[in-house]
Amino acid sequence: MQSNDKGLKNVNATITLTDPKGSVVLVSNGVTDEFGYFTVKEKIHWSWIPGKYKAEMIAGDEKSYDYQWHFVHIENPILESREPEP
């Protein structure tokens, strides 16, 4: 999953996915890149069920702050992992 946070570059960010019952299924913390994008690297836990989820993102620093949310429908999340190439 990747999100663009209105161009807030190199700031702390948190994305939270919540299922329809209100349970948090993923929290990812990190820093936006030089273009304002944030990529979730964490894996979703084993009880992931395809459907509608609420995605919330908070990003900012002492100068700027942004909060966004929207509903996403995810059918087939990729749950496999690959070993890093040597």
Side-chain angles (χ1 to χ4, degrees):
M1 176 187 306
Q2 190 175 66
S3 179
N4 180 296
D5 194 55
K6 296 185 181 179
L8 290 177
K9 301 170 179 128
N10 302 310
V11 298
N12 291 325
T14 299
I15 290 181
T16 304
L17 279 182
T18 308
D19 70 16
K21 295 179 181 179
S23 298
V24 173
V25 295
L26 178 121
V27 175
S28 182
N29 297 299
V31 177
T32 59
D33 68 13
E34 65 272 13
F35 304 106
Y37 285 93
F38 178 77
T39 302
V40 174
K41 298 184 188 318
E42 288 83 4
K43 301 215 181 310
I44 297 169
H45 63 76
W46 62 270
S47 62
W48 177 268
I49 299 171
K52 185 165 97 171
Y53 291 81
K54 183 177 182 183
E56 296 178 89
M57 181 171 182
I58 299 172
D61 59 16
E62 62 278 350
K63 299 175 192 170
S64 301
Y65 174 85
D66 190 29
Y67 170 80
Q68 299 177 20
W69 71 271
H70 62 279
F71 286 103
V72 294
H73 189 80
I74 303 172
E75 282 296 323
N76 296 309
I78 298 172
L79 297 175
E80 66 185 44
S81 62
R82 290 188 282 173
E83 294 296 319
E85 295 184 23

